[in-house]
Amino acid sequence: MHRSDPAELAAALRTGPFHHALRTAIATRGLALHRIRRHLALRGVNVGLTSLSYWQQGHRRPERPESLRAVAALEDVLDLPEHSLTRLLGPRRAVGTAPTGPPVRPYRDLISPAAAVDDLLTALSGPRDSGLHTVTHIERIRIGPDRQPTRRDSQHALRAHRDGIDRYLALYQGDPGSDITRVGVRAEENCRPGRIRRDRTHHLLAAELLLDRRLRAGDTHLLGYGFDDAPSPDPSCEYVRGFNSGAGQYVLQITFHPDALPVRCHRFALRAPGEDPYETEELTLDGHRCVHLVATALRPCLLGIRWDWE
């Protein structure tokens, strides 16, 4: 097993899944399984080498009380923060059910109107849980001279938390009055466009991005994609990104045309559309006419930037 670095371990503990985090922790500490077993025995916890091997490979999941006690002891043996492994296990599964990934909120909780989102996902037969978790997402939005968004570009690093993942679902909502049929979808790196569905009434678009390989649990994948925006009758004044299963890190940058500079910008975070922000912070336009935010260890939420023209 290759020796992992601390940054890789921190990312694995943040995003999971459990077996990947355990395997990375073992590699980082450089301990053989028989030594880990001996350290556990000294703490009064007995677990077999086969079980340890199965846990780190994802072939078996700690379920029984004594196994969960062993996981808590592993955090001590591997010098990990308390609960950093146990939290990745989540609630105990019922017998015969498949393993689950990070907590997931339905997309309908993050985009309004909820019924329109449900209809789009039904048209694509989209699952509630895509099987993917965001490790890092860097998004760039450009605002043109008419105060309208012109394009959105994303660099997205993802990790699968179950086997067989071969596509990513990208959702887009245009500004009120925009023509969703004029929005272009760009699949640029390590993916190609799949099915695309549009809702003209609610300015919604759902696009499948087909990955160039089928992922197994724990695999990471980098893809680049974007949207070419359609103009709306009124100037744009915000950009919002929804996270239905959280994210390891998110970076959002808004770049304004020199003929369309805002007078004030601030970041905000919401739990649901229409709610008051639970977090706000004023942002300063830099010398390149940009504002940005960086957020880490995100739970499901809505995060964005707003700006005033007058």
Side-chain angles (χ1 to χ4, degrees):
M1 180 180 294
H2 75 281
R3 181 69 70 97
S4 300
D5 61 40
E8 184 179 352
L9 174 59
L13 292 174
R14 185 167 60 243
T15 64
F18 168 79
H19 71 274
H20 174 71
L22 176 60
R23 185 169 66 244
T24 305
I26 292 172
T28 301
R29 303 308 179 214
L31 292 174
L33 292 185
H34 70 273
R35 291 185 60 196
I36 293 174
R37 183 173 182 268
R38 189 180 308 132
H39 282 297
L40 290 173
L42 292 174
R43 289 164 172 78
V45 176
N46 293 307
V47 60
L49 289 176
T50 300
S51 293
L52 288 173
S53 178
Y54 281 176
W55 291 353
Q56 71 164 341
Q57 296 300 326
H59 299 319
R60 192 174 294 171
R61 181 180 187 271
E63 292 280 357
R64 296 179 298 176
E66 59 267 31
S67 297
L68 298 178
R69 190 162 69 93
V71 173
L74 276 169
E75 294 168 350
D76 183 37
V77 170
L78 298 171
D79 194 24
L80 302 175
E82 189 177 8
H83 306 307
S84 57
L85 287 176
T86 52
R87 74 173 184 84
L88 294 174
L89 289 171
R92 186 174 178 181
R93 297 200 313 269
V95 175
T97 59
T100 60
V104 175
R105 286 178 63 184
Y107 289 109
R108 68 188 326 271
D109 287 358
L110 302 174
I111 304 174
S112 180
V117 178
D118 288 343
D119 290 343
L120 274 184
L121 295 181
T122 299
L124 289 174
S125 303
R128 179 178 182 271
D129 174 13
S130 66
L132 293 165
H133 180 77
T134 294
V135 178
T136 301
H137 186 179
I138 301 175
E139 190 165 30
R140 294 180 174 89
I141 312 299
R142 297 184 182 275
I143 305 298
D146 57 357
R147 300 183 175 183
Q148 300 281 350
T150 59
R151 62 183 287 152
R152 312 181 187 195
D153 296 286
S154 284
Q155 285 288 122
H156 213 142
L158 301 159
R159 175 173 284 118
H161 59 76
R162 66 169 183 262
D163 292 342
I165 304 302
D166 64 356
R167 64 199 62 211
Y168 172 77
L169 180 65
L171 296 176
Y172 169 106
Q173 186 166 35
D175 287 339
S178 61
D179 184 355
I180 199 67
T181 64
R182 296 176 58 188
V183 172
V185 180
R186 288 178 280 108
E188 297 179 325
E189 289 185 71
N190 305 321
C191 63
R192 56 188 175 86
R195 296 174 296 174
I196 298 174
R197 299 292 183 268
R198 305 171 193 260
D199 180 334
R200 297 186 64 175
T201 302
H202 303 104
H203 325 295
L204 284 167
L205 180 152
E208 283 183 334
L209 299 174
L210 305 179
L211 311 185
D212 57 9
R213 63 193 179 108
R214 189 177 294 272
L215 306 181
R216 298 185 62 185
D219 285 350
T220 55
H221 190 81
L222 179 66
L223 69 153
Y225 63 96
F227 297 99
D228 295 318
D229 291 276
S232 61
D234 300 315
S236 180
C237 61
E238 71 174 18
Y239 180 75
V240 186
R241 163 65 62 173
F243 297 91
N244 74 322
S245 62
Q249 183 179 64
Y250 175 63
V251 180
L252 171 62
Q253 177 180 276
I254 313 286
T255 301
F256 295 91
H257 191 276
D259 294 334
L261 299 180
V263 297
R264 181 174 179 267
C265 302
H266 67 273
R267 62 177 285 173
F268 63 93
L270 310 169
R271 291 187 174 85
E275 288 190 358
D276 291 331
Y278 64 83
E279 175 186 293
T280 61
E281 179 187 357
E282 189 157 357
L283 301 175
T284 301
L285 204 67
D286 66 21
H288 300 283
R289 309 181 309 279
C290 300
V291 290
H292 77 275
L293 64 82
V294 178
T296 58
L298 282 168
R299 294 187 176 277
C301 68
L302 292 155
L303 190 64
I305 294 176
R306 288 183 179 142
W307 53 91
D308 297 323
W309 294 113
E310 307 294 343

